[in-house]
Amino acid sequence: DPTPPSTSTDGGTTNPQYGYLYNWCAAMGAQNTAACAEATTPAPDPTINICPAGWRLPTGELTTGEFTALNNAINAGSTTSPTGLETNGLFQRSGYWTNSFNYQGSGGNYWASSQTSSNNAHYLYFNSTYVNPADYGSKRYGFAVRCVAL
């Protein structure tokens, strides 16, 4: 069952927040590979993930990643404002989980399917003054997901 909506105040506007936060291994469909947790090989299969059938996690590399292409297309490539991302309703400032909830309502973090090292994977990060479509962080953090059609 989906999580019932909660609300957060962002710039004076109340926005619904849906869903869960997942570590990278869960977002990658809980694949039983060493790379899911803390290795680079064998590489997880990007077609296996938490997304519904016919969907997958986006890629996150800086020059070729789908998060970069999306930011270029609907946010004019801005790295100083998330207006295009938020105006289109594609992303909310969901915050993230480490040992507690962090930055809910002020930052957005969305997993990509690509890893950067044994401990880190790409993700899209944004707040009110910064956008990084190819950031990377610990696979253990709990971030949100958005899926793209195959």
Side-chain angles (χ1 to χ4, degrees):
D1 292 345
T3 301
S6 61
T7 58
S8 67
T9 302
D10 179 14
T13 305
T14 300
N15 299 309
Q17 301 291 314
Y18 298 91
Y20 296 98
L21 302 177
Y22 304 91
N23 67 33
W24 190 73
C25 291
M28 291 298 291
Q31 297 178 45
N32 191 17
T33 69
C36 187
E38 294 187 3
T40 55
T41 58
D45 181 347
T47 65
I48 300 171
N49 52 63
I50 200 167
C51 299
W55 295 78
R56 63 175 172 75
L57 293 176
T59 58
E61 295 81 1
L62 182 58
T63 57
T64 60
E66 290 166 316
F67 278 142
T68 297
L70 177 68
N71 192 54
N72 291 342
I74 67 169
N75 201 42
S78 176
T79 57
T80 59
S81 171
T83 302
L85 299 173
E86 294 176 326
T87 300
N88 288 293
L90 296 173
F91 297 95
Q92 294 89 31
R93 296 182 192 183
S94 58
Y96 67 94
W97 174 267
T98 52
N99 292 320
S100 63
F101 290 110
N102 297 283
Y103 300 104
Q104 287 191 302
S106 64
N109 304 274
Y110 292 85
W111 280 124
S113 62
S114 47
Q115 61 184 345
T116 61
S117 70
S118 62
N119 297 320
N120 297 309
H122 283 291
Y123 67 96
L124 166 71
Y125 171 74
F126 65 93
N127 62 27
S128 62
T129 61
Y130 181 72
V131 176
N132 187 340
D135 209 339
Y136 61 92
S138 174
K139 294 177 183 178
R140 295 175 187 261
Y141 291 172
F143 293 159
V145 298
R146 287 292 183 268
C147 302
V148 295
L150 291 175

